[in-house]
Amino acid sequence: MRKAALAGDARAVYQIAAQAADGPGNRDPKLALRLFERAAVAGLTPAQFRLGNMFEKGIGTNRDPALAKVWYGRAAERGNAKAMHNLAVLYAEGAGGKPDYTTATEWFRRAAEHGVRDSQYNLAILLGRGLGAPADLSQSYRWFAIAAAQGDEDAGRKRDEVAGRLSASDLAAAKATAESWKPKALEANANEVTPPAKGWDEAPVAAKKPAKPGRG
């Protein structure tokens, strides 16, 4: 794996970074940050998410919400569902500035459609309160119901509260849309890093040098 990393395989760089960040024994968050950054600059989407997470939490570096948004944004645009959710949270909380509920609603919606339960709950909250989009109790009920079906007990209580504010016909329609909902499929390469099927010895050797770390 180290040979593949030295040859420029971003997946191998990512795996070594993950070991430095999460593995047993002596962890090295600063090394993990540098390696995640290298893989992220090379275009590996899960590395972009991990890098954004380290900047958000201040792991191996100082907290930097602006850089967290940059890297979450790149990963989210390429289909990483966790990055979509975390990016939405930063916008909703106003990290580095004022809350931007419109952008938060859009990213919560995209993550919710991919099955992220916390995004479904947060989207329902925003829609119920008219933050970032016009208030829509039917859609608020729908997303609370979908989150509740995934085991979120708070969402179940909120769903029932919203139900009491809907007409019988609107409630029936909202229930039907919730029950027929199915998550959009995730793009595997954007959400996970899979080692070569035959092991790192069979990984293709890159012709160019590894990308230098940079913050883009």
Side-chain angles (χ1 to χ4, degrees):
M1 183 166 62
R2 292 184 181 278
K3 182 179 179 181
L6 290 172
D9 191 315
R11 297 170 302 168
V13 174
Y14 177 94
Q15 296 290 2
I16 295 172
Q19 289 177 2
D22 311 322
N26 294 327
R27 298 184 180 182
D28 190 338
K30 290 184 178 180
L31 174 62
L33 179 78
R34 291 197 302 272
L35 294 176
F36 278 135
E37 189 169 47
R38 180 175 295 183
V41 170
L44 192 69
T45 305
Q48 294 171 345
F49 164 73
R50 289 296 300 263
L51 185 59
N53 194 246
M54 295 187 83
F55 281 123
E56 179 190 0
K57 297 179 179 178
I59 300 173
T61 184
N62 295 326
R63 291 188 69 252
D64 193 327
L67 277 177
K69 281 184 179 179
V70 168
W71 287 109
Y72 279 151
R74 293 183 185 182
E77 289 287 0
R78 298 178 69 167
N80 186 283
K82 291 180 180 178
M84 293 175 192
H85 175 80
N86 288 12
L87 182 62
V89 169
L90 289 181
Y91 277 111
E93 293 179 343
K98 296 181 180 180
D100 181 348
Y101 293 118
T102 299
T103 304
T105 295
E106 175 60 25
W107 282 113
F108 277 138
R109 189 185 306 278
R110 290 174 66 170
E113 289 172 347
H114 284 295
V116 180
R117 189 177 70 178
D118 287 347
S119 280
Q120 294 164 354
Y121 180 91
N122 291 345
L123 177 60
I125 290 287
L126 294 180
L127 290 172
R129 296 177 180 175
L131 295 173
D136 189 330
L137 291 181
S138 292
Q139 283 297 309
S140 179
Y141 175 94
R142 175 176 182 255
W143 286 112
F144 276 138
I146 291 169
Q150 294 199 67
D152 190 318
E153 295 181 359
D154 287 338
R157 287 189 285 270
K158 294 286 188 181
R159 172 202 60 202
D160 295 341
E161 290 174 10
V162 174
R165 300 164 63 189
L166 291 171
S167 67
S169 59
D170 287 344
L171 178 58
K175 284 183 176 180
T177 60
E179 290 171 359
S180 64
W181 177 84
K182 292 183 180 180
K184 291 184 178 180
L186 289 169
E187 184 179 346
N189 289 341
N191 292 274
E192 59 187 44
V193 176
T194 305
K198 297 182 179 180
W200 291 108
D201 288 340
E202 298 296 327
V205 177
K208 57 185 179 181
K209 295 180 180 179
K212 295 181 179 179
R215 293 181 179 174

